[in-house]
Amino acid sequence: MFDSGIGGLSVLKALRAAMPHEDFIYIADSGHAPYGERDEAHVLARSRAIVQHLVRHNVKALVIACNTATAAAIHLLRDEHPTLALVGVEPALKPAVALSQTGRIGVMATRSTLASAKFQALLAAQSGGAKDVRFIVQPCDGLAHAIETSADSGDMARVAALCAQHTGAMGQFGMQAGQIDTLVLGCTHYPFASEHLRALVGPQVHLIDNGQAIARQTQRLLRPSLECGLNGSVGAGQVRLFTTGQPPTLQAAALRWLELAAGVGVLGADNSCSIYRET
Ligand code: DGL
């Protein structure tokens, strides 16, 4: 699995909980992040390079643990790797529609995800139902990057300020008519800011991320080969972490949010994604 950085660890957490005996390789492309404020060509090129690298590891499934990369690349990656079990993430609009009582749903995501054709099609599909639903979409510039830096320093001040700025721009949250009662976290980094978001929107508003849904989908796809390595052996639940950026950031994030003490390998910065070493 991969993400532009540490955000996909929120998906890894759900995958490990659902499939504790599977082995995981996680790549944080922090050296080329944030994706959400870069053009689609950059995100596509990075996704291709990382997928090529992971495919060489003979993975039995590949999870794009990044909404931005999924929006930019999954359709092309499916064409290029037709036999690969590929799972992507997208903002959980459908579950939000099912949950919302007021019909006012906030969506926080990167600028690039929100501008993508994939997201626009999803938005159109979910807006046209029987319920009177309105989506309030908010490009959260800077938030993924702030979460990334907070992992290392532990200083959440910038994250808290950006959460306040972005939720403030969306309108009033609450359970009354006209208020936003459901907030979709459409970037895999944002669950790591959920304490701050919860404090801002109040205790009753639904916060939705799709880590668990992705875990279920991956499980469904893998059912025939679950807990079974290529040679038929049961996996040990091993996690290997790699980054194209600074190892201490990924190491600190894994420890802080997943209680996972693991070494971090460095993926070569030569774009070939072929060189790495354990630190
Ligand atoms: N975590 C990524 C996502 O889900 C994007 C963060 C970034 O902008 O790099 O969209």
Side-chain angles (χ1 to χ4, degrees):
M1 54 194 298
F2 76 95
D3 176 45
S4 65
I6 60 171
L9 291 178
S10 63
V11 180
L12 176 60
K13 190 174 182 171
L15 286 169
R16 285 183 82 210
M19 294 171 282
H21 299 294
E22 294 303 310
D23 295 333
F24 295 95
I25 301 170
Y26 182 96
I27 297 179
D29 196 18
S30 302
H32 306 89
Y35 284 179
E37 289 148 52
R38 305 291 294 268
D39 61 47
E40 217 168 81
H42 171 82
V43 179
L44 179 58
R46 292 307 307 156
S47 302
R48 274 193 171 127
I50 292 170
V51 169
Q52 261 163 28
H53 175 79
L54 283 170
V55 162
R56 286 203 289 270
H57 280 269
N58 280 332
V59 292
K60 60 185 181 187
L62 197 148
V63 178
I64 306 177
C66 174
N67 294 263
T68 311
T70 301
I74 197 165
H75 51 297
L76 295 165
L77 293 171
R78 280 198 205 287
D79 289 349
E80 290 165 9
H81 303 273
T83 58
L84 181 64
L86 197 55
V87 179
V89 299
E90 63 183 14
L93 300 195
K94 197 173 170 190
V97 171
L99 266 178
S100 177
Q101 294 293 315
T102 65
R104 297 292 172 270
I105 297 168
V107 183
M108 298 173 71
T110 68
R111 187 166 286 282
S112 168
T113 295
L114 296 177
S116 69
K118 196 168 189 307
F119 178 76
Q120 289 302 320
L122 178 68
L123 193 64
Q126 292 305 319
S127 303
K131 266 188 172 175
D132 169 30
V133 167
R134 218 180 89 207
F135 291 99
I136 297 96
V137 299
Q138 177 65 23
C140 295
D141 293 350
L143 185 54
H145 180 64
I147 291 168
E148 198 85 10
T149 27
S150 76
D152 218 358
S153 66
D155 180 0
M156 298 295 278
R158 177 90 183 123
V159 173
L162 285 168
C163 286
Q165 179 189 319
H166 292 308
T167 53
M170 297 172 86
Q172 277 233 316
F173 288 84
M175 309 312 280
Q176 312 282 326
Q179 296 182 329
I180 302 168
D181 71 348
T182 307
L183 181 59
V184 176
L185 308 186
C187 166
T188 53
H189 280 71
Y190 302 166
F192 296 129
S194 56
E195 256 178 56
H196 299 279
L197 292 168
R198 170 63 67 212
L200 289 159
V201 303
Q204 286 179 307
V205 168
H206 307 289
L207 294 187
I208 306 188
D209 75 78
N210 44 15
Q212 285 177 6
I214 300 308
R216 279 195 300 276
Q217 194 187 337
T218 310
Q219 229 170 351
R220 258 197 312 274
L221 209 64
L222 286 179
R223 191 137 286 147
S225 63
L226 263 186
E227 299 182 7
C228 178
L230 287 177
N231 55 6
S233 61
V234 172
Q238 190 196 31
V239 178
R240 284 190 285 161
L241 303 174
F242 296 96
T243 182
T244 59
Q246 298 302 315
T249 304
L250 182 57
Q251 200 153 31
L255 193 58
R256 179 187 299 263
W257 287 313
L258 270 66
E259 289 162 16
L260 177 68
V264 174
V266 179
L267 219 56
D270 61 355
N271 244 13
S272 71
C273 281
S274 60
I275 310 162
Y276 59 84
R277 63 186 159 77
E278 299 281 346
T279 53

